């Protein structure tokens, strides 16, 4: 009875995965589809399945076709059939028309909605923190409430900027704070297994690429003359002068690439690992009660461990991205040798 109660509780806890008991019994669980369905973007936000009823938030689809103009409708229209000449391509998961061409798509997808939620959450947290500082003397009172949690994080980013950039670090601190908290909030929202969490925002390479490009622009638009002198007219022996600019330009391009891939790969790998631990329970369902029950316990224990590890990784990745961005900005503002 205890084993049955444990297995039942596990299945109930894992309902957000959308795995039905009937699918487990019939050995129809598609593990790759489950994993990539959760880490990928979609036109709806699937919450859970209750019996044969799917509980999901259907998001607005906004398209522009060169043939028929603008279209706006609910993603529920595309669940079973074609609507207004559009359907979802099963291979790419994107909306295409009857000829297979992709329209201009600015739909509110799962990741877009998650970005909106995280932006609202960040705004509320920042405003509540600012409200405390407006009403209290920060020099004589210790912060309380949300301000008590935000102050050490802000001071952490402040210290990173000061140590890595130097004298004019204050002009870059707002951007570094924005990048740190944006990554941190979205990382933790992605770990939460139920709405409004669970979206794989920082595990989407398009999101991490935009963040890395912001750092790239901050480095190369505001770099001083000594930075560009070291790139195009470095103080090296004559036979190296034609080679060094090529190497330096390649290095400048690879910095945002490394920022993009590091954050994307670490967060996506964490999601895949946790989901894989969960899916082991359903894979073992056909091997008998003893093995099923024992592996369920092991999978849950490892899943909890991986989830706690992912919380640590969520903070570390936000810290590493901010630190490397500050270092790259600092390297773009070198001083002349005589200074």
């Amino acid at each position: 009875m205890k084993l049955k109660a444990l297995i039942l509780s596990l299945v109930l806890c894992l309902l957000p995965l959308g795995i039905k008991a009937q699918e487990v019994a019939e050995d129809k669980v598609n593990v790759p589809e489950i994993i990539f369905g959760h880490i990928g973007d979609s036109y709806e936000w699937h919450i859970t399945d209750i019996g044969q009823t799917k509980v999901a938030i259907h998001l607005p689809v906004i398209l522009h076709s060169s043939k028929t103009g603008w279209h706006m409708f609910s993603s529920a229209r595309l669940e079973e059939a074609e609507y207004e000449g559009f359907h979802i391509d099963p291979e790419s998961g994107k909306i295409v028309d009857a000829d297979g061409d992709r329209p201009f798509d600015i739909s509110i997808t799962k990741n877009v909605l998650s970005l909106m939620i995280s932006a609202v959450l960040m705004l509320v947290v920042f405003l509540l923190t600012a409200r405390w500082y407006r009403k209290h003397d920060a020099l004589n009172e210790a912060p309380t409430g949300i301000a008590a949690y935000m102050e050490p994080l802000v001071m952490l980013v402040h210290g990173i900027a000061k140590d890595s950039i130097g004298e004019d670090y204050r002009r870059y601190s707002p951007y570094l704070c924005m990048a740190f908290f944006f990554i941190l909030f979205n990382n933790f929202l992605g770990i939460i297994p139920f709405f409004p969490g669970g979206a794989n925002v920082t595990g989407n390479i398009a999101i991490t690429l935009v963040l890395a490009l912001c750092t790239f622009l901050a480095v190369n638009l505001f770099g001083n003359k000594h930075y560009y002198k070291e790139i195009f007219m470095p103080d090296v022996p004559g036979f190296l002068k034609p080679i060094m600019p090529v190497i330096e330009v390649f290095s400048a391009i690879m910095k945002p690439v490394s920022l993009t891939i590091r954050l994307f790969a670490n967060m996506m790998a964490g999601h895949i690992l946790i989901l894989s631990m969960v899916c082991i329970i359903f894979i073992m369902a056909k091997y008998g009660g003893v093995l099923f029950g024992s592996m369920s316990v092991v999978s849950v224990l490892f899943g909890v461990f991986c989830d706690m590890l992912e919380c640590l990784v969520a903070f570390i990745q936000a810290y590493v991205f901010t630190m490397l961005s500050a270092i790259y900005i600092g390297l773009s503002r070198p001083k002349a040798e005589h200074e």
Side-chain angles (χ1 to χ4, degrees):
M1 291 298 294
K2 291 183 178 180
L3 179 60
K4 290 182 178 179
L6 175 61
I7 295 173
L8 179 60
S9 64
L10 293 176
V11 173
L12 290 175
C13 289
L14 299 171
L15 276 176
L17 286 176
I19 304 173
K20 301 175 184 178
Q22 182 183 357
E23 293 177 342
V24 176
E26 297 177 359
D27 193 24
K28 295 182 179 179
V29 178
N30 189 331
V31 175
E33 183 180 348
I34 293 168
I35 292 176
F36 289 103
H38 279 74
I39 66 175
D41 201 3
S42 64
Y43 292 95
E44 66 175 19
W45 196 314
H46 179 265
I47 297 176
T48 188
D49 286 329
I50 301 176
Q52 298 297 324
T53 305
K54 181 174 72 172
V55 180
I57 299 174
H58 297 288
L59 302 172
V61 175
I62 307 171
L63 308 170
H64 182 269
S65 171
S66 58
K67 304 171 185 177
T68 57
W70 286 98
H71 299 261
M72 187 170 67
F73 50 87
S74 171
S75 60
R77 302 284 189 176
L78 299 173
E79 279 192 338
E80 298 179 356
E82 184 178 287
Y83 183 75
E84 294 186 0
F86 299 101
H87 65 277
I88 297 178
D89 181 18
E91 294 185 2
S92 64
K94 301 297 182 182
I95 294 177
V96 297
D97 59 21
D99 298 328
D101 299 327
R102 288 185 58 185
F104 178 65
D105 191 349
I106 55 171
S107 304
I108 307 298
T109 62
K110 180 180 177 180
N111 282 346
V112 173
L113 180 59
S114 183
L115 285 172
M116 294 178 179
I117 293 171
S118 65
V120 172
L121 183 60
M122 290 172 62
L123 184 62
V124 170
V125 171
F126 293 157
L127 290 177
L128 290 176
T129 303
R131 180 184 179 187
W132 186 93
Y133 280 96
R134 284 198 304 269
K135 294 185 176 181
H136 298 83
D137 184 2
L139 297 177
N140 298 316
E141 296 181 53
T144 58
I146 293 179
Y149 295 97
M150 291 294 291
E151 182 175 301
L153 294 176
V154 172
M155 294 306 297
L156 173 67
V157 178
H158 184 80
I160 292 172
K162 186 175 182 179
D163 294 339
S164 302
I165 298 175
E167 296 176 356
D168 56 347
Y169 70 94
R170 291 184 181 275
R171 65 186 296 191
Y172 300 101
S173 287
Y175 164 67
L176 294 174
C177 277
M178 182 279 298
F180 176 80
F181 284 107
F182 177 85
I183 296 171
L184 188 67
F185 275 59
N186 282 289
N187 284 353
F188 279 109
L189 278 175
I191 297 172
I192 300 172
F194 48 83
F195 182 83
N200 187 33
V201 174
T202 46
N204 186 318
I205 197 167
I207 303 295
T208 59
L209 176 61
V210 170
L211 285 171
L213 287 177
C214 290
T215 296
F216 178 78
L217 292 175
V219 169
N220 292 282
L221 291 181
F222 304 109
N224 60 23
K225 61 181 181 181
H226 305 298
Y227 168 69
Y228 286 102
K229 180 179 180 299
E230 290 179 359
I231 293 178
F232 297 106
M233 293 182 293
D235 187 13
V236 295
F239 69 94
L240 290 177
K241 287 186 180 294
I243 302 174
M244 290 305 296
V246 177
I247 295 175
E248 292 293 338
V249 169
F250 180 77
S251 175
I253 295 173
M254 289 307 297
K255 287 174 182 177
V257 173
S258 66
L259 287 175
T260 299
I261 295 176
R262 179 182 290 106
L263 179 57
F264 156 72
N266 278 281
M267 299 313 301
M268 186 182 69
H271 284 261
I272 292 176
L273 182 61
I274 294 171
L275 289 168
S276 300
M277 289 292 103
V278 172
C279 288
I280 288 175
I281 299 172
F282 302 97
I283 294 173
M284 291 295 169
K286 62 180 180 179
Y287 293 108
V290 176
L291 187 58
F292 177 38
S294 59
M295 287 305 299
S296 297
V297 174
V298 172
S299 297
V300 169
L301 292 177
F302 271 97
V304 172
F305 171 76
C306 291
D307 220 359
M308 300 303 294
L309 183 64
E310 187 71 1
C311 291
L312 178 62
V313 171
F315 177 82
I316 290 175
Q317 289 305 313
Y319 176 83
V320 169
F321 187 97
T322 307
M323 181 182 66
L324 290 177
S325 295
I327 290 173
Y328 294 156
I329 292 171
L331 291 174
S332 72
R333 306 189 63 77
K335 295 181 180 180
E337 292 183 2
H338 68 276
E339 294 176 349

